[in-house]
Amino acid sequence: METIDKIKQQIEENTILLYMKGSPKLPSCGFSSQAAQALMGCGEKFAYVDILQNPDIRAELPKYAQWPTFPQLWVEGELIGGCDIIMEMFQKGELQPIIKEAAARNAEEGDA
């Protein structure tokens, strides 16, 4: 499978997806750590891809997303942004409803 196809599939299959360095429990960079903490603070499950374990994705995703840095948060197929945007939205209380509504919509689709 081509890397871009793999990225598209990951974004399609995961309602809330964080591309990060490391994992939420063992982040490998401060920005990824902050982003994962904010997402965990929203109280919903989310998927993640460790780009350090996936150098192909690390190389291709910035071009696909037209976003040069990691972490990257994708919700329902839309790029939300990186660490600064995630933290700003979380602190303003804007991230939580986006995450909760996406998770609720995903749960409804799963039950249908």
Side-chain angles (χ1 to χ4, degrees):
M1 184 184 284
E2 291 292 317
T3 301
I4 293 295
D5 294 330
K6 191 166 31 169
I7 290 168
K8 286 179 183 173
Q9 184 179 10
Q10 290 170 339
I11 290 169
E12 266 175 44
E13 289 177 355
N14 295 289
T15 305
I16 304 161
L17 177 60
L18 184 65
Y19 287 95
M20 64 180 294
K21 294 178 180 175
S23 69
K25 289 191 174 24
L26 284 171
S28 297
C29 95
F31 299 114
S32 289
S33 175
Q34 288 179 16
Q37 290 295 324
L39 263 183
M40 287 189 267
C42 293
E44 299 294 339
K45 286 185 182 158
F46 63 94
Y48 74 92
V49 174
D50 179 355
I51 58 157
L52 299 177
Q53 301 292 323
N54 296 277
D56 54 336
I57 292 173
R58 184 179 189 177
E60 293 296 324
L61 184 61
K63 290 179 242 172
Y64 174 75
Q66 297 181 329
W67 190 268
T69 58
F70 294 98
Q72 289 185 16
L73 174 60
W74 292 75
V75 177
E76 296 184 304
E78 298 281 321
L79 176 63
I80 301 295
C83 181
D84 291 347
I85 292 169
I86 295 166
M87 295 312 295
E88 187 176 319
M89 289 176 73
F90 182 75
Q91 286 158 359
K92 287 182 176 175
E94 295 168 357
L95 186 64
Q96 294 87 330
I98 292 170
I99 298 298
K100 291 206 179 303
E101 286 163 22
R105 277 193 293 273
N106 185 47
E108 286 166 18
E109 286 172 18
D111 296 340

